[in-house]
Amino acid sequence: MKIQWLGCVTFVAALGVLPLQLAHAADILCEDKTATLRHQLEQAQAHGNQHRAEGLQRALHAISENCTNERVLAQAEEEVRESHEEVRERTEALNQVLHDGDKNDIQESREKLEEATRELKGHTEELNALQRRLNE
């Protein structure tokens, strides 16, 4: 089904009836999310996972009703802010346990800070990718 849809879009774009930029101009990030969810939906249906398919259908409906590039970017920016806050809190916690000197607590705190730092990096990379995608 996805191949048929892509074939139709390609054919229409090739004829010049629907410029490719028009197909992606308004909400390119939402279209990306839609494509990802449609692929996941196809996989869920192919594997007989009806519960997941129903959830993906609801998500697709929500995207078609509510998604805008601005909302996608705002959500990504919020994830980066939350990750920054988590790293700040984990750094403070590590500093406190370093002051207290318990080796087990120090190791655990370092691991939590490393995890929060990885999440921040991931969220930042995702935000940057979204911004680059909009500028294409």
Side-chain angles (χ1 to χ4, degrees):
M1 181 159 169
K2 182 177 177 183
I3 293 173
Q4 291 174 341
W5 182 81
L6 287 174
C8 290
V9 170
T10 303
F11 177 72
V12 172
L15 289 176
V17 175
L18 179 64
L20 191 56
Q21 64 191 40
L22 179 60
H24 294 288
D27 290 310
I28 195 166
L29 301 179
C30 297
E31 288 184 17
D32 290 348
K33 289 178 88 169
T34 298
T36 299
L37 286 176
R38 285 180 196 234
H39 176 72
Q40 291 176 359
L41 177 59
E42 289 172 6
Q43 294 297 315
Q45 290 171 335
H47 290 92
N49 190 340
Q50 187 61 33
H51 181 69
R52 176 146 171 80
E54 290 170 1
L56 291 165
Q57 291 277 8
R58 285 190 301 274
L60 280 168
H61 178 72
I63 287 174
S64 69
E65 295 292 319
N66 303 312
C67 189
T68 64
N69 288 337
E70 293 77 20
R71 286 184 181 162
V72 173
L73 283 175
Q75 182 180 5
E77 289 168 351
E78 179 62 22
E79 288 175 350
V80 169
R81 277 192 293 280
E82 288 174 0
S83 292
H84 270 292
E85 179 62 21
E86 181 75 16
V87 168
R88 186 192 64 73
E89 290 173 3
R90 297 294 183 189
T91 301
E92 286 179 8
L94 176 59
N95 288 336
Q96 182 62 42
V97 295
L98 284 171
H99 183 265
D100 295 343
D102 185 341
K103 288 184 180 187
N104 290 332
D105 288 345
I106 291 171
Q107 182 60 33
E108 181 179 331
S109 189
R110 281 188 176 142
E111 289 171 1
K112 288 181 179 181
L113 176 57
E114 288 171 3
E115 179 182 344
T117 302
R118 281 191 302 275
E119 286 181 14
L120 173 59
K121 182 181 179 199
H123 289 145
T124 302
E125 288 172 355
E126 182 179 336
L127 175 60
N128 291 337
L130 291 172
Q131 291 170 332
R132 279 192 306 273
R133 181 78 172 109
L134 275 178
N135 293 326
E136 288 180 344

